[in-house]
Amino acid sequence: MAGFLVGYQDGKVRNCKIVDVNYLKKLDMKVLCPVEDIVESDPEEVNTAMYKMLHELIQEHKTTLIFTNTRSGTESVVFNLKKKFPEFYNGENIMAHHSSLSKELRLEAENKLKDGELKVVVSSTSLELGIDIGFIDLVLLVSSPKSVSRALQRIGRSGHRLHDKSKGRIIVVERDDLVECSLILKNAVEGKIDEIHIPNNCLDVLSQQIYGMSIEGKWDIEEGYNVIKSSYNYRNLSQNDFLSVLSYLAGDYTSLEDRYVYAKIWVDYKEKQFGKRGKLARMLYSTNIGTIPDRSAARVKCDGQVIGRIEEDFMEKLRKGDTFVLGGKIYRFNYARGMMVNVTPSSGPPTIPSWFSEQLPLAFDLAMSIQNFRAIMEQKFNSKKKKKEIVEFIHEYLYVDLNAANSIYSYFREQYIYASIPSARTLLIEYYKGYGGRKFVIFHSLFGRRVNDALSRAVAYLIAEKYKRDVMISVSDNGFYLSSDGKVGGIDVLEELTPDNIEEILIKAIDKTETLAARFRHCAGRSLMILRRYKGNEKSVSRQQVKGKILLKFVKDLDENFSILREARREVIEDYMDVKNAKKVLEMIQDGRMNIKRIDTQIPSPFAFNLVAQSYLDVLKYEERIEFIRRMHQAIIKEIGDEIPE
């Protein structure tokens, strides 16, 4: 695009040509399904068709990059391509790339990719950002990338030559994924990107910054505060928070010295100045700064014997009484000490699937796009629109082919007839009695897992307070459910939650969890309460975790408003969870934009299939889980009878 503008040079009028260089790359993006009917297809048929599709797409291009959402998924794709097509794929032309591989193997994959020696590379998230990976002409995404920005980032790894398009295909094998990826496609085509979450006023990182400033020289307190506030992330930093961090660093909490946490700066409140303390300040600072915490696997013990290991991310999510699978057996989590987890044998479905810590969370903006689409679909069904008209609408609105449009239509039609369609206007709460009389309350809250984690923990805490009973929770991007052998609150408890009280309730709910303990250890490391390195000696993650728990208990007794404790709580409810958007949901309920509707079902409604099946994923093989969903679907079709066809 070009235009003309009258300008001035040396006092003379002249014409200036404006050139608008559009930086947006052309996008060739599609959503593909390997079978015509996802839910009715045999699991083996779906699996075979998916790898056949992957193989054909790879062979049509020179170099292909495949993204999965988990490390185990990456290994599975590499293994199956080699197994199913041995004449095409071997150790020379296909490689995996993920964070659990050694640095040497990752570099080998990157270098071979740059040199054009690989036909295909399969990655989890490790090749998304910051790596020059040479020319790639196709990116394949196996399952949903969970956000528009992540989809564009991944697909943008292709077509790096001048005038080339970024070419990507998203392959889906589940109906929820089909809807989700169709909305990703729509938003990507229309240029709608998810809002970026930027943490603000992080007091642990602020501690590092103040320490670094004091090493540079003596500072006026007011001047230091203004310099910090000039940063975007700290633009809203209160003076009280700034002074509280100064107070901690200056050693005003003298009892912390009993726990080997010493003053790092001096503060002269009369002269309003601060500066470094001690001759080792520069060494301590340079060897301990950074924001990425040390991580390690935790040992799992049962009856005094080590039975295996779990990742720290997974350990964080465990609460007393949670059950999970390890080595094919189910165990109950009792407690953790340092990086050692104590368990006892258990039975029944696991409450936390073993892959849970690897899952990417659905972006809230994308979730609301799906919710709005649900509301549109409900309106069309209410208006008695014909199938042909609705399918054509889906085809044009979501930019998907007619097969995908038909599948989406059937999915929504089944939910509409059997139950009701939850949407941006209606929060559906489904009461369902499972096998053995166990009661489930399913919240169809499609707001993303981070929001649902906040809502579910707050609701579970209120139930525990009200009924003096613990409940089992299972959370996904599409909703969450509560389960118990006894009475379970639902609507009554949710109505007690408000935008004003949810933060306070969540702070209480996470108080004794491993999540808070782990995050406090991270914050203590960043704020230099725990020195990870000292005079060439390195403190192990296990020792850091033990010290973190000791310090956590100590500072709770010392001062509930201690700056680093508040930061750990903020990190849990704002970064790990999403209390900001949870408040938005509660505001929508409070002001009537979203109403609450209750239904009672004998069979879970179609939109609840994946959520109910989620807890069985570790005790059922993937194929058995698909078969489980198929049987529920057939039971729904039998229940609604002849109402589904038009």
Side-chain angles (χ1 to χ4, degrees), residues 133-176:
I133 53 177
F135 175 72
I136 290 169
D137 52 353
L138 176 67
V139 172
L140 297 175
L141 279 60
V142 178
S143 297
S144 170
K146 297 296 179 181
S147 77
V148 181
S149 55
R150 183 174 283 112
L152 291 174
Q153 179 64 43
R154 289 179 172 184
I155 292 170
R157 308 305 277 165
S158 67
H160 280 195
R161 290 192 299 210
L162 191 63
H163 306 307
D164 275 0
K165 291 181 180 180
S166 289
K167 186 175 184 180
R169 301 290 183 262
I170 308 177
I171 298 174
V172 297
V173 294
E174 290 183 349
R175 296 198 292 184
D176 284 333

mmCIF file of all heavy atoms in Angstrom, residues 133-176:
data_model
loop_
_atom_site.group_PDB
_atom_site.id
_atom_site.type_symbol
_atom_site.label_atom_id
_atom_site.label_comp_id
_atom_site.label_asym_id
_atom_site.label_seq_id
_atom_site.Cartn_x
_atom_site.Cartn_y
_atom_site.Cartn_z
ATOM 1 N N ILE A 133 15.857 -23.112 12.848
ATOM 2 C CA ILE A 133 15.778 -24.524 12.455
ATOM 3 C C ILE A 133 15.748 -24.704 10.941
ATOM 4 O O ILE A 133 15.342 -25.746 10.440
ATOM 5 C CB ILE A 133 14.553 -25.211 13.107
ATOM 6 C CG1 ILE A 133 13.269 -24.428 12.818
ATOM 7 C CG2 ILE A 133 14.746 -25.373 14.592
ATOM 8 C CD1 ILE A 133 12.026 -25.079 13.354
ATOM 9 N N GLY A 134 16.185 -23.682 10.213
ATOM 10 C CA GLY A 134 16.311 -23.844 8.778
ATOM 11 C C GLY A 134 14.992 -23.890 8.038
ATOM 12 O O GLY A 134 13.956 -23.453 8.548
ATOM 13 N N PHE A 135 15.006 -24.454 6.830
ATOM 14 C CA PHE A 135 13.811 -24.447 5.991
ATOM 15 C C PHE A 135 12.903 -25.635 6.284
ATOM 16 O O PHE A 135 13.335 -26.781 6.294
ATOM 17 C CB PHE A 135 14.191 -24.464 4.513
ATOM 18 C CG PHE A 135 12.986 -24.567 3.621
ATOM 19 C CD1 PHE A 135 12.132 -23.486 3.472
ATOM 20 C CD2 PHE A 135 12.676 -25.751 2.981
ATOM 21 C CE1 PHE A 135 10.999 -23.587 2.670
ATOM 22 C CE2 PHE A 135 11.549 -25.849 2.179
ATOM 23 C CZ PHE A 135 10.709 -24.763 2.025
ATOM 24 N N ILE A 136 11.631 -25.323 6.525
ATOM 25 C CA ILE A 136 10.593 -26.331 6.738
ATOM 26 C C ILE A 136 9.410 -25.928 5.875
ATOM 27 O O ILE A 136 9.002 -24.759 5.878
ATOM 28 C CB ILE A 136 10.172 -26.396 8.219
ATOM 29 C CG1 ILE A 136 11.301 -27.002 9.056
ATOM 30 C CG2 ILE A 136 8.898 -27.189 8.409
ATOM 31 C CD1 ILE A 136 11.104 -26.864 10.535
ATOM 32 N N ASP A 137 8.862 -26.849 5.106
ATOM 33 C CA ASP A 137 7.741 -26.458 4.237
ATOM 34 C C ASP A 137 6.384 -26.943 4.729
ATOM 35 O O ASP A 137 5.361 -26.626 4.128
ATOM 36 C CB ASP A 137 7.967 -26.898 2.785
ATOM 37 C CG ASP A 137 8.304 -28.371 2.629
ATOM 38 O OD1 ASP A 137 8.505 -29.044 3.653
ATOM 39 O OD2 ASP A 137 8.377 -28.842 1.485
ATOM 40 N N LEU A 138 6.357 -27.688 5.851
ATOM 41 C CA LEU A 138 5.068 -28.096 6.418
ATOM 42 C C LEU A 138 5.204 -28.291 7.923
ATOM 43 O O LEU A 138 6.173 -28.887 8.392
ATOM 44 C CB LEU A 138 4.578 -29.404 5.783
ATOM 45 C CG LEU A 138 3.274 -29.981 6.364
ATOM 46 C CD1 LEU A 138 2.076 -29.080 6.058
ATOM 47 C CD2 LEU A 138 3.015 -31.397 5.857
ATOM 48 N N VAL A 139 4.214 -27.778 8.664
ATOM 49 C CA VAL A 139 4.117 -28.029 10.104
ATOM 50 C C VAL A 139 2.816 -28.768 10.367
ATOM 51 O O VAL A 139 1.745 -28.343 9.908
ATOM 52 C CB VAL A 139 4.154 -26.722 10.920
ATOM 53 C CG1 VAL A 139 3.851 -27.000 12.392
ATOM 54 C CG2 VAL A 139 5.515 -26.047 10.796
ATOM 55 N N LEU A 140 2.907 -29.889 11.084
ATOM 56 C CA LEU A 140 1.720 -30.660 11.464
ATOM 57 C C LEU A 140 1.533 -30.560 12.967
ATOM 58 O O LEU A 140 2.489 -30.724 13.735
ATOM 59 C CB LEU A 140 1.882 -32.130 11.063
ATOM 60 C CG LEU A 140 2.019 -32.418 9.566
ATOM 61 C CD1 LEU A 140 2.284 -33.900 9.337
ATOM 62 C CD2 LEU A 140 0.768 -31.987 8.810
ATOM 63 N N LEU A 141 0.321 -30.293 13.396
ATOM 64 C CA LEU A 141 -0.009 -30.231 14.817
ATOM 65 C C LEU A 141 -0.930 -31.398 15.136
ATOM 66 O O LEU A 141 -2.036 -31.490 14.586
ATOM 67 C CB LEU A 141 -0.709 -28.909 15.157
ATOM 68 C CG LEU A 141 0.161 -27.671 15.366
ATOM 69 C CD1 LEU A 141 0.964 -27.334 14.123
ATOM 70 C CD2 LEU A 141 -0.702 -26.470 15.736
ATOM 71 N N VAL A 142 -0.458 -32.309 15.981
ATOM 72 C CA VAL A 142 -1.281 -33.446 16.396
ATOM 73 C C VAL A 142 -2.046 -33.030 17.646
ATOM 74 O O VAL A 142 -1.456 -32.842 18.705
ATOM 75 C CB VAL A 142 -0.416 -34.686 16.667
ATOM 76 C CG1 VAL A 142 -1.285 -35.850 17.137
ATOM 77 C CG2 VAL A 142 0.360 -35.082 15.412
ATOM 78 N N SER A 143 -3.342 -32.834 17.520
ATOM 79 C CA SER A 143 -4.239 -32.338 18.572
ATOM 80 C C SER A 143 -4.108 -30.820 18.724
ATOM 81 O O SER A 143 -3.238 -30.182 18.136
ATOM 82 C CB SER A 143 -3.989 -33.034 19.911
ATOM 83 O OG SER A 143 -4.272 -34.411 19.803
ATOM 84 N N SER A 144 -4.967 -30.280 19.549
ATOM 85 C CA SER A 144 -5.083 -28.826 19.675
ATOM 86 C C SER A 144 -3.871 -28.198 20.347
ATOM 87 O O SER A 144 -3.403 -28.687 21.377
ATOM 88 C CB SER A 144 -6.334 -28.479 20.489
ATOM 89 O OG SER A 144 -6.344 -27.102 20.817
ATOM 90 N N PRO A 145 -3.370 -27.066 19.810
ATOM 91 C CA PRO A 145 -2.286 -26.335 20.467
ATOM 92 C C PRO A 145 -2.783 -25.466 21.614
ATOM 93 O O PRO A 145 -1.990 -24.809 22.288
ATOM 94 C CB PRO A 145 -1.715 -25.473 19.331
ATOM 95 C CG PRO A 145 -2.869 -25.260 18.411
ATOM 96 C CD PRO A 145 -3.695 -26.521 18.484
ATOM 97 N N LYS A 146 -4.104 -25.411 21.816
ATOM 98 C CA LYS A 146 -4.727 -24.776 22.982
ATOM 99 C C LYS A 146 -4.770 -23.251 22.951
ATOM 100 O O LYS A 146 -5.349 -22.646 23.853
ATOM 101 C CB LYS A 146 -4.069 -25.238 24.289
ATOM 102 C CG LYS A 146 -4.217 -26.721 24.565
ATOM 103 C CD LYS A 146 -5.671 -27.083 24.765
ATOM 104 C CE LYS A 146 -5.888 -28.559 25.034
ATOM 105 N NZ LYS A 146 -7.308 -28.895 25.208
ATOM 106 N N SER A 147 -4.169 -22.621 21.955
ATOM 107 C CA SER A 147 -4.304 -21.173 21.829
ATOM 108 C C SER A 147 -4.016 -20.774 20.390
ATOM 109 O O SER A 147 -3.282 -21.479 19.678
ATOM 110 C CB SER A 147 -3.362 -20.428 22.776
ATOM 111 O OG SER A 147 -2.043 -20.431 22.306
ATOM 112 N N VAL A 148 -4.579 -19.649 19.970
ATOM 113 C CA VAL A 148 -4.361 -19.156 18.605
ATOM 114 C C VAL A 148 -2.903 -18.749 18.432
ATOM 115 O O VAL A 148 -2.265 -19.066 17.418
ATOM 116 C CB VAL A 148 -5.293 -17.956 18.308
ATOM 117 C CG1 VAL A 148 -5.076 -17.453 16.877
ATOM 118 C CG2 VAL A 148 -6.746 -18.332 18.526
ATOM 119 N N SER A 149 -2.353 -18.046 19.417
ATOM 120 C CA SER A 149 -0.974 -17.571 19.310
ATOM 121 C C SER A 149 0.007 -18.733 19.207
ATOM 122 O O SER A 149 0.967 -18.678 18.443
ATOM 123 C CB SER A 149 -0.620 -16.677 20.506
ATOM 124 O OG SER A 149 -0.862 -17.343 21.722
ATOM 125 N N ARG A 150 -0.247 -19.812 19.970
ATOM 126 C CA ARG A 150 0.649 -20.970 19.895
ATOM 127 C C ARG A 150 0.525 -21.657 18.542
ATOM 128 O O ARG A 150 1.525 -22.108 17.980
ATOM 129 C CB ARG A 150 0.348 -21.958 21.027
ATOM 130 C CG ARG A 150 1.315 -23.144 21.038
ATOM 131 C CD ARG A 150 1.136 -24.054 22.235
ATOM 132 N NE ARG A 150 1.720 -23.469 23.424
ATOM 133 C CZ ARG A 150 1.016 -23.044 24.463
ATOM 134 N NH1 ARG A 150 -0.300 -23.128 24.448
ATOM 135 N NH2 ARG A 150 1.620 -22.523 25.510
ATOM 136 N N ALA A 151 -0.675 -21.733 17.997
ATOM 137 C CA ALA A 151 -0.870 -22.332 16.675
ATOM 138 C C ALA A 151 -0.099 -21.539 15.619
ATOM 139 O O ALA A 151 0.606 -22.109 14.778
ATOM 140 C CB ALA A 151 -2.356 -22.373 16.329
ATOM 141 N N LEU A 152 -0.220 -20.212 15.664
ATOM 142 C CA LEU A 152 0.474 -19.372 14.689
ATOM 143 C C LEU A 152 1.986 -19.444 14.872
ATOM 144 O O LEU A 152 2.740 -19.425 13.896
ATOM 145 C CB LEU A 152 -0.001 -17.922 14.822
ATOM 146 C CG LEU A 152 -1.447 -17.660 14.374
ATOM 147 C CD1 LEU A 152 -1.855 -16.232 14.698
ATOM 148 C CD2 LEU A 152 -1.601 -17.930 12.874
ATOM 149 N N GLN A 153 2.422 -19.511 16.127
ATOM 150 C CA GLN A 153 3.859 -19.612 16.394
ATOM 151 C C GLN A 153 4.424 -20.909 15.832
ATOM 152 O O GLN A 153 5.478 -20.927 15.197
ATOM 153 C CB GLN A 153 4.117 -19.538 17.902
ATOM 154 C CG GLN A 153 5.572 -19.655 18.309
ATOM 155 C CD GLN A 153 6.416 -18.515 17.792
ATOM 156 O OE1 GLN A 153 5.999 -17.360 17.845
ATOM 157 N NE2 GLN A 153 7.597 -18.811 17.277
ATOM 158 N N ARG A 154 3.700 -22.006 16.053
ATOM 159 C CA ARG A 154 4.171 -23.303 15.563
ATOM 160 C C ARG A 154 4.154 -23.351 14.038
ATOM 161 O O ARG A 154 5.134 -23.745 13.404
ATOM 162 C CB ARG A 154 3.306 -24.424 16.138
ATOM 163 C CG ARG A 154 3.521 -24.657 17.629
ATOM 164 C CD ARG A 154 2.613 -25.772 18.154
ATOM 165 N NE ARG A 154 2.947 -26.116 19.536
ATOM 166 C CZ ARG A 154 2.380 -27.085 20.224
ATOM 167 N NH1 ARG A 154 1.422 -27.819 19.663
ATOM 168 N NH2 ARG A 154 2.743 -27.337 21.474
ATOM 169 N N ILE A 155 3.034 -22.949 13.449
ATOM 170 C CA ILE A 155 2.919 -22.997 11.989
ATOM 171 C C ILE A 155 3.885 -22.013 11.340
ATOM 172 O O ILE A 155 4.385 -22.233 10.233
ATOM 173 C CB ILE A 155 1.454 -22.734 11.568
ATOM 174 C CG1 ILE A 155 0.580 -23.919 12.010
ATOM 175 C CG2 ILE A 155 1.325 -22.532 10.064
ATOM 176 C CD1 ILE A 155 -0.903 -23.693 11.876
ATOM 177 N N GLY A 156 4.192 -20.929 12.060
ATOM 178 C CA GLY A 156 5.139 -19.933 11.558
ATOM 179 C C GLY A 156 6.565 -20.435 11.458
ATOM 180 O O GLY A 156 7.430 -19.739 10.908
ATOM 181 N N ARG A 157 6.843 -21.633 11.935
ATOM 182 C CA ARG A 157 8.181 -22.218 11.781
ATOM 183 C C ARG A 157 8.407 -22.671 10.339
ATOM 184 O O ARG A 157 9.528 -22.998 9.958
ATOM 185 C CB ARG A 157 8.376 -23.427 12.710
ATOM 186 C CG ARG A 157 8.050 -23.191 14.171
ATOM 187 C CD ARG A 157 8.791 -22.025 14.760
ATOM 188 N NE ARG A 157 10.132 -22.387 15.181
ATOM 189 C CZ ARG A 157 11.092 -21.502 15.458
ATOM 190 N NH1 ARG A 157 10.850 -20.228 15.310
ATOM 191 N NH2 ARG A 157 12.282 -21.891 15.845
ATOM 192 N N SER A 158 7.345 -22.694 9.548
ATOM 193 C CA SER A 158 7.479 -23.121 8.148
ATOM 194 C C SER A 158 7.479 -21.907 7.216
ATOM 195 O O SER A 158 7.070 -20.810 7.585
ATOM 196 C CB SER A 158 6.318 -24.051 7.764
ATOM 197 O OG SER A 158 5.097 -23.334 7.752
ATOM 198 N N GLY A 159 7.926 -22.154 5.984
ATOM 199 C CA GLY A 159 7.867 -21.121 4.952
ATOM 200 C C GLY A 159 8.721 -19.911 5.220
ATOM 201 O O GLY A 159 8.264 -18.776 5.060
ATOM 202 N N HIS A 160 9.988 -20.114 5.596
ATOM 203 C CA HIS A 160 10.863 -18.991 5.929
ATOM 204 C C HIS A 160 11.543 -18.372 4.706
ATOM 205 O O HIS A 160 12.279 -17.409 4.840
ATOM 206 C CB HIS A 160 11.916 -19.428 6.941
ATOM 207 C CG HIS A 160 11.377 -19.471 8.346
ATOM 208 N ND1 HIS A 160 12.170 -19.542 9.464
ATOM 209 C CD2 HIS A 160 10.098 -19.456 8.814
ATOM 210 C CE1 HIS A 160 11.417 -19.569 10.557
ATOM 211 N NE2 HIS A 160 10.159 -19.534 10.180
ATOM 212 N N ARG A 161 11.300 -18.928 3.528
ATOM 213 C CA ARG A 161 11.882 -18.320 2.329
ATOM 214 C C ARG A 161 10.981 -17.187 1.840
ATOM 215 O O ARG A 161 9.778 -17.170 2.098
ATOM 216 C CB ARG A 161 12.044 -19.372 1.225
ATOM 217 C CG ARG A 161 13.127 -20.394 1.548
ATOM 218 C CD ARG A 161 13.503 -21.256 0.368
ATOM 219 N NE ARG A 161 12.366 -22.035 -0.131
ATOM 220 C CZ ARG A 161 12.494 -23.218 -0.722
ATOM 221 N NH1 ARG A 161 13.694 -23.748 -0.871
ATOM 222 N NH2 ARG A 161 11.449 -23.867 -1.162
ATOM 223 N N LEU A 162 11.572 -16.228 1.144
ATOM 224 C CA LEU A 162 10.851 -15.052 0.666
ATOM 225 C C LEU A 162 9.640 -15.460 -0.167
ATOM 226 O O LEU A 162 9.733 -16.323 -1.046
ATOM 227 C CB LEU A 162 11.790 -14.178 -0.169
ATOM 228 C CG LEU A 162 11.272 -12.785 -0.539
ATOM 229 C CD1 LEU A 162 11.034 -11.947 0.706
ATOM 230 C CD2 LEU A 162 12.258 -12.093 -1.480
ATOM 231 N N HIS A 163 8.499 -14.851 0.147
ATOM 232 C CA HIS A 163 7.221 -15.053 -0.552
ATOM 233 C C HIS A 163 6.557 -16.398 -0.259
ATOM 234 O O HIS A 163 5.486 -16.693 -0.795
ATOM 235 C CB HIS A 163 7.376 -14.895 -2.074
ATOM 236 C CG HIS A 163 8.005 -13.598 -2.490
ATOM 237 N ND1 HIS A 163 7.514 -12.384 -2.065
ATOM 238 C CD2 HIS A 163 9.094 -13.336 -3.258
ATOM 239 C CE1 HIS A 163 8.269 -11.417 -2.577
ATOM 240 N NE2 HIS A 163 9.237 -11.968 -3.298
ATOM 241 N N ASP A 164 7.176 -17.249 0.578
ATOM 242 C CA ASP A 164 6.545 -18.527 0.932
ATOM 243 C C ASP A 164 5.427 -18.314 1.949
ATOM 244 O O ASP A 164 5.458 -17.378 2.747
ATOM 245 C CB ASP A 164 7.566 -19.488 1.540
ATOM 246 C CG ASP A 164 8.315 -20.257 0.467
ATOM 247 O OD1 ASP A 164 8.035 -20.038 -0.721
ATOM 248 O OD2 ASP A 164 9.185 -21.074 0.820
ATOM 249 N N LYS A 165 4.455 -19.205 1.923
ATOM 250 C CA LYS A 165 3.383 -19.193 2.924
ATOM 251 C C LYS A 165 3.799 -20.043 4.125
ATOM 252 O O LYS A 165 4.570 -20.990 3.990
ATOM 253 C CB LYS A 165 2.094 -19.784 2.342
ATOM 254 C CG LYS A 165 1.425 -18.947 1.271
ATOM 255 C CD LYS A 165 0.160 -19.643 0.805
ATOM 256 C CE LYS A 165 -0.558 -18.830 -0.277
ATOM 257 N NZ LYS A 165 -1.784 -19.516 -0.736
ATOM 258 N N SER A 166 3.248 -19.693 5.285
ATOM 259 C CA SER A 166 3.372 -20.575 6.447
ATOM 260 C C SER A 166 2.285 -21.633 6.303
ATOM 261 O O SER A 166 1.092 -21.311 6.303
ATOM 262 C CB SER A 166 3.186 -19.793 7.743
ATOM 263 O OG SER A 166 4.279 -18.946 7.980
ATOM 264 N N LYS A 167 2.694 -22.878 6.167
ATOM 265 C CA LYS A 167 1.742 -23.950 5.876
ATOM 266 C C LYS A 167 1.627 -24.894 7.060
ATOM 267 O O LYS A 167 2.624 -25.445 7.530
ATOM 268 C CB LYS A 167 2.197 -24.719 4.633
ATOM 269 C CG LYS A 167 1.204 -25.771 4.151
ATOM 270 C CD LYS A 167 1.672 -26.389 2.843
ATOM 271 C CE LYS A 167 0.643 -27.374 2.296
ATOM 272 N NZ LYS A 167 1.089 -27.986 1.020
ATOM 273 N N GLY A 168 0.410 -25.055 7.552
ATOM 274 C CA GLY A 168 0.198 -25.925 8.696
ATOM 275 C C GLY A 168 -1.106 -26.678 8.625
ATOM 276 O O GLY A 168 -2.093 -26.192 8.054
ATOM 277 N N ARG A 169 -1.109 -27.866 9.210
ATOM 278 C CA ARG A 169 -2.316 -28.681 9.274
ATOM 279 C C ARG A 169 -2.485 -29.165 10.719
ATOM 280 O O ARG A 169 -1.533 -29.663 11.329
ATOM 281 C CB ARG A 169 -2.218 -29.899 8.344
ATOM 282 C CG ARG A 169 -1.997 -29.539 6.870
ATOM 283 C CD ARG A 169 -3.226 -28.903 6.253
ATOM 284 N NE ARG A 169 -3.070 -28.611 4.844
ATOM 285 C CZ ARG A 169 -2.736 -27.419 4.359
ATOM 286 N NH1 ARG A 169 -2.501 -26.410 5.201
ATOM 287 N NH2 ARG A 169 -2.647 -27.214 3.058
ATOM 288 N N ILE A 170 -3.698 -29.005 11.258
ATOM 289 C CA ILE A 170 -4.004 -29.501 12.601
ATOM 290 C C ILE A 170 -4.818 -30.776 12.447
ATOM 291 O O ILE A 170 -5.886 -30.764 11.818
ATOM 292 C CB ILE A 170 -4.791 -28.469 13.428
ATOM 293 C CG1 ILE A 170 -4.083 -27.109 13.428
ATOM 294 C CG2 ILE A 170 -4.975 -28.961 14.857
ATOM 295 C CD1 ILE A 170 -4.850 -26.020 14.172
ATOM 296 N N ILE A 171 -4.319 -31.862 13.013
ATOM 297 C CA ILE A 171 -4.992 -33.164 12.877
ATOM 298 C C ILE A 171 -5.729 -33.480 14.178
ATOM 299 O O ILE A 171 -5.128 -33.485 15.257
ATOM 300 C CB ILE A 171 -3.976 -34.264 12.535
ATOM 301 C CG1 ILE A 171 -3.319 -33.942 11.188
ATOM 302 C CG2 ILE A 171 -4.644 -35.635 12.491
ATOM 303 C CD1 ILE A 171 -2.203 -34.874 10.794
ATOM 304 N N VAL A 172 -7.022 -33.740 14.068
ATOM 305 C CA VAL A 172 -7.847 -33.971 15.255
ATOM 306 C C VAL A 172 -8.450 -35.376 15.218
ATOM 307 O O VAL A 172 -8.785 -35.886 14.151
ATOM 308 C CB VAL A 172 -8.977 -32.925 15.379
ATOM 309 C CG1 VAL A 172 -8.399 -31.535 15.546
ATOM 310 C CG2 VAL A 172 -9.910 -32.948 14.166
ATOM 311 N N VAL A 173 -8.587 -35.973 16.406
ATOM 312 C CA VAL A 173 -9.173 -37.314 16.490
ATOM 313 C C VAL A 173 -10.273 -37.378 17.557
ATOM 314 O O VAL A 173 -10.745 -38.450 17.896
ATOM 315 C CB VAL A 173 -8.093 -38.390 16.785
ATOM 316 C CG1 VAL A 173 -7.124 -38.520 15.620
ATOM 317 C CG2 VAL A 173 -7.341 -38.074 18.065
ATOM 318 N N GLU A 174 -10.660 -36.226 18.109
ATOM 319 C CA GLU A 174 -11.744 -36.171 19.088
ATOM 320 C C GLU A 174 -12.674 -35.013 18.738
ATOM 321 O O GLU A 174 -12.248 -34.010 18.160
ATOM 322 C CB GLU A 174 -11.199 -35.960 20.509
ATOM 323 C CG GLU A 174 -10.468 -37.144 21.074
ATOM 324 C CD GLU A 174 -10.010 -36.900 22.510
ATOM 325 O OE1 GLU A 174 -10.096 -35.730 22.958
ATOM 326 O OE2 GLU A 174 -9.589 -37.858 23.169
ATOM 327 N N ARG A 175 -13.946 -35.130 19.130
ATOM 328 C CA ARG A 175 -14.913 -34.097 18.780
ATOM 329 C C ARG A 175 -14.638 -32.776 19.496
ATOM 330 O O ARG A 175 -14.806 -31.708 18.918
ATOM 331 C CB ARG A 175 -16.334 -34.590 19.063
ATOM 332 C CG ARG A 175 -16.718 -35.785 18.202
ATOM 333 C CD ARG A 175 -18.204 -36.009 18.144
ATOM 334 N NE ARG A 175 -18.767 -36.428 19.420
ATOM 335 C CZ ARG A 175 -20.058 -36.764 19.580
ATOM 336 N NH1 ARG A 175 -20.883 -36.729 18.547
ATOM 337 N NH2 ARG A 175 -20.513 -37.136 20.760
ATOM 338 N N ASP A 176 -14.201 -32.836 20.769
ATOM 339 C CA ASP A 176 -13.859 -31.602 21.473
ATOM 340 C C ASP A 176 -12.690 -30.900 20.795
ATOM 341 O O ASP A 176 -12.668 -29.672 20.670
ATOM 342 C CB ASP A 176 -13.509 -31.893 22.939
ATOM 343 C CG ASP A 176 -14.752 -32.158 23.779
ATOM 344 O OD1 ASP A 176 -15.827 -31.643 23.423
ATOM 345 O OD2 ASP A 176 -14.643 -32.884 24.787
#
